[in-house]
């Protein structure tokens, strides 16, 4: 099942753009915890902790226990991260509370197994990945860490659809009503290099 990560935070007293800018000037990243029919909790995070989670990947399907100093520890998912358009550093983080017994909308990464033994890939085929993540509704106590698709018998021309996922843990894809494509094994492509045509000599003209 999905892993739970603890992340430290401190409370912020004021909302608004001015307060958020002051938080960033102090070297912290402003954030908020919302949802579960409770008041929003304003907080500030160490930017190193935020970047650590973003660089690990899969942060949109992890649980985060946000431990607010001198306050509660709340179970959340990280919903949105805003970045500075110039420095590409995080400037705001939104967390959503996880209510017990609820279903969450999460993005779960897809992992492909046994690529080395796939007849199609061994024969020169190319794995064409359509979706590296699948957005699903999942029970809060059964959110998958990842979805796995076995390529051990995949041949050139085979399509790997939602039904090819080994275990979905009861999650329902947001794309409903069809067995949508996740990846395919495509035939190898060759680029014919045409030899440049020799330039035809210009016709000679007799001087008059």
């Amino acid at each position: 099942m999905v892993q739970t990560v603890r992340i430290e935070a401190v409370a912020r007293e004021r909302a608004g753009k001015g307060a958020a800018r002051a938080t960033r000037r102090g070297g912290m990243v402003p954030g908020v915890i919302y949802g579960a029919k409770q008041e929003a909790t304003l907080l500030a995070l160490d930017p190193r902790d935020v970047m650590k989670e973003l660089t690990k990947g899969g942060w949109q399907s992890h649980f985060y226990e946000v431990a607010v100093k001198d306050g509660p520890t709340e179970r959340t998912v990280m919903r949105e991260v805003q970045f500075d358009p110039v420095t590409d550093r995080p400037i705001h983080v939104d967390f959503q509370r996880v209510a017990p017994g609820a279903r969450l909308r999460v993005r779960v990464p897809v992992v492909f197994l046994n690529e080395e033994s796939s007849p199609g890939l061994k024969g020169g085929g190319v794995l064409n990945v359509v979706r590296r993540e699948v957005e699903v509704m999942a029970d809060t106590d059964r959110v998958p860490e990842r979805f796995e698709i076995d390529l051990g018998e995949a041949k050139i021309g085979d399509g790997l659809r939602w039904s090819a996922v080994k275990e979905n843990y009861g999650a329902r894809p947001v794309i409903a009503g069809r067995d949508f494509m996740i990846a395919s094994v495509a035939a190898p492509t060759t680029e014919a290099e045409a030899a440049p045509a020799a330039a035809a000599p210009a016709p000679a003209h007799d001087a008059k």
Side-chain angles (χ1 to χ4, degrees):
M1 291 292 97
V2 65
Q3 73 179 86
T4 299
V5 179
R6 182 180 175 88
I7 190 168
E8 306 287 336
V10 295
R12 290 191 295 132
E13 293 184 357
R14 294 185 299 118
K17 293 183 178 179
R21 284 194 294 266
T23 299
R24 288 190 283 271
R25 284 196 298 270
M28 302 289 278
V29 179
V32 63
I33 301 174
Y34 64 87
K37 299 180 180 180
Q38 300 179 37
E39 289 188 8
T41 299
L42 302 176
L43 46 86
L45 305 148
D46 188 321
R48 294 170 296 183
D49 293 338
V50 178
M51 287 304 302
K52 179 181 177 182
E53 295 307 310
L54 297 180
T55 54
K56 283 195 309 187
W59 56 271
Q60 290 174 307
S61 62
H62 291 166
F63 285 136
Y64 289 92
E65 286 188 346
V66 182
V68 182
K69 186 178 180 181
D70 300 325
T73 296
E74 303 204 60
R75 193 177 188 221
T76 71
V77 290
M78 195 184 295
R79 275 299 182 213
E80 183 180 2
V81 181
Q82 298 175 28
F83 296 91
D84 184 284
V86 177
T87 66
D88 209 29
R89 295 176 181 173
I91 58 173
H92 197 277
V93 183
D94 288 358
F95 294 91
Q96 180 184 350
R97 291 186 182 91
V98 175
R103 288 178 71 83
L104 278 176
R105 184 168 179 153
V106 293
R107 293 180 181 176
V108 180
V110 178
V111 175
F112 300 95
L113 308 178
N114 300 317
E115 292 187 48
E116 69 283 351
S117 59
S118 164
L121 299 181
K122 288 168 65 177
V126 178
L127 182 62
N128 177 31
V129 180
V130 179
R131 293 181 174 86
R132 296 191 179 276
E133 297 176 322
V134 178
E135 194 169 15
V136 298
M137 298 296 296
D139 293 334
T140 54
D141 58 349
R142 297 192 72 204
V143 175
E145 174 76 14
R146 62 187 194 176
F147 292 133
E148 296 180 346
I149 293 182
D150 190 348
L151 299 177
E153 298 183 2
K155 301 180 293 296
I156 290 177
D158 284 355
L160 294 313
R161 299 178 178 272
W162 168 249
S163 56
V165 170
K166 293 178 65 176
E167 172 59 67
N168 62 29
Y169 303 96
R172 296 199 309 268
V174 173
I175 300 174
R178 61 187 177 93
D179 192 14
F180 54 86
M181 187 75 74
I182 295 177
S184 63
V185 180
T189 57
T190 58
E191 294 183 2
E193 295 182 1
H205 296 281
D206 294 331
K208 294 185 179 179

